[in-house]
Amino acid sequence: MPDKEISGKTKICALIGDPVEHTMSPVMHNAAYKKLGLDYVYVPFRVSPEQLAAAVDGLRALNVCGFNVTIPHKVSIIPMLDGLDPLAEKVGAVNTVVNNDGELRGYNTDADGFLKAMLEREVEPAGKNVVVLGAGGAARAVTYVLADRGAGLTILNRQEELDWAENIAELISEDFGKVVRVLELRDEYLAEALQIADILVNATSVGMSPAGDESPVPAELLKNSLIVFDVVYNPINTRLLNEAKAAGAQTISGIDMLAWQGALAFEKWTGQAAPIDLMKKEAVKMLESHED
Ligand code: NAP
């Protein structure tokens, strides 16, 4: 039960996804509303793909102030919205929706959240060589903002066809006039790409709980001059991050990106600066309680 009074004035924010049982967004947002004394509440809804259109119409009809979108709806929701922020349009995925008097506009705060998490650690990707692993939704968001910021990019993905990675590379070349190298995710190509890399980003789901003993990168390829960012946030310290730390590398966990994507959504819905440290603390607390 929320420890606040809900009234006719309470503003409602939501999450739609399937599943939503383990989401950390409610604890992050509700703690932030409480800290700032905002009359808001955040509730998760499990919505199947078949019910997505009905759920979006329902959220509009119920006049919620906004909602987050998670797997498996980040792409399929796009035609159901009334407008898209240019970054969400480029990335081709939406994780945050703002309701402006019945007009639903989609944003991608995963992409900006990733960049904020880097800059917060004083990691500036402009002019750096960045190796990105993966070509799914997270990889697309990450590579687009990195290219926009002025990084040089190599993408490695496991699919033999590499269709998705090439598709991202083409988009970046059109928008920024940059050549992006696309390679198959194999140890020999990875070794070569990492020789000149400043930053390595794991944007695959490899290493995510319950397969926390896996890593997409052999430990011997990690070195102390690398900055390693793992977008996986469960566990907080993935095998990749632990091995990178052991090699003396600077590391950034996906939990920072998670907290920032939430904070940026919070700011769009409330117009207030988000208490990012608190939001991150709540997410960490919830993850650690699941590890027990
Ligand atoms: P997705 O669209 O399903 O993409 C998954 C990617 O991982 C694909 O490139 C896939 O390669 C690759 N992959 C999966 N298993 C692999 C394996 N065994 N070996 C090599 N590559 C493999 O998922 P997503 O939405 O991008 O999410 C990826 C990860 O990012 C998840 O762990 C998710 O929780 C995390 N994430 C974190 C945040 C955050 O805020 N920190 C935000 C968004 C996502 P193929 O193309 O070959 O299938």
Side-chain angles (χ1 to χ4, degrees), residues 90-169:
K90 289 293 182 189
V91 170
V94 162
N95 79 320
T96 299
V97 176
V98 177
N99 182 3
N100 294 313
D101 294 327
E103 201 185 291
L104 301 182
R105 186 168 175 84
Y107 296 84
N108 190 307
T109 68
D110 286 336
D112 284 333
F114 168 80
L115 186 61
K116 285 271 193 190
M118 278 195 140
L119 298 178
E120 180 189 41
R121 301 283 172 137
E122 294 180 359
V123 174
E124 171 53 76
K128 302 279 174 18
N129 280 314
V130 186
V131 169
V132 178
L133 311 182
R140 202 176 162 93
V142 159
T143 45
Y144 197 84
V145 285
L146 285 170
D148 192 19
R149 192 81 187 180
L153 287 160
T154 303
I155 306 173
L156 291 97
N157 194 48
R158 68 171 170 176
Q159 270 180 352
E160 282 189 18
E161 301 281 327
L162 292 169
D163 286 354
W164 273 104
E166 268 157 16
N167 174 281
I168 302 171

Side-chain angles (χ1 to χ4, degrees), residues 71 74 110 133-139 157-159 164 185 203-206 208 214 230-233 254-255 257-259 261:
I71 290 171
K74 286 185 180 184
D110 286 336
L133 311 182
N157 194 48
R158 68 171 170 176
Q159 270 180 352
W164 273 104
L185 182 48
T204 73
S205 46
V206 179
M208 188 169 78
E214 292 176 8
D230 198 337
V231 304
V232 172
Y233 56 81
I255 197 80
M257 174 176 168
L258 180 82
Q261 66 73 32

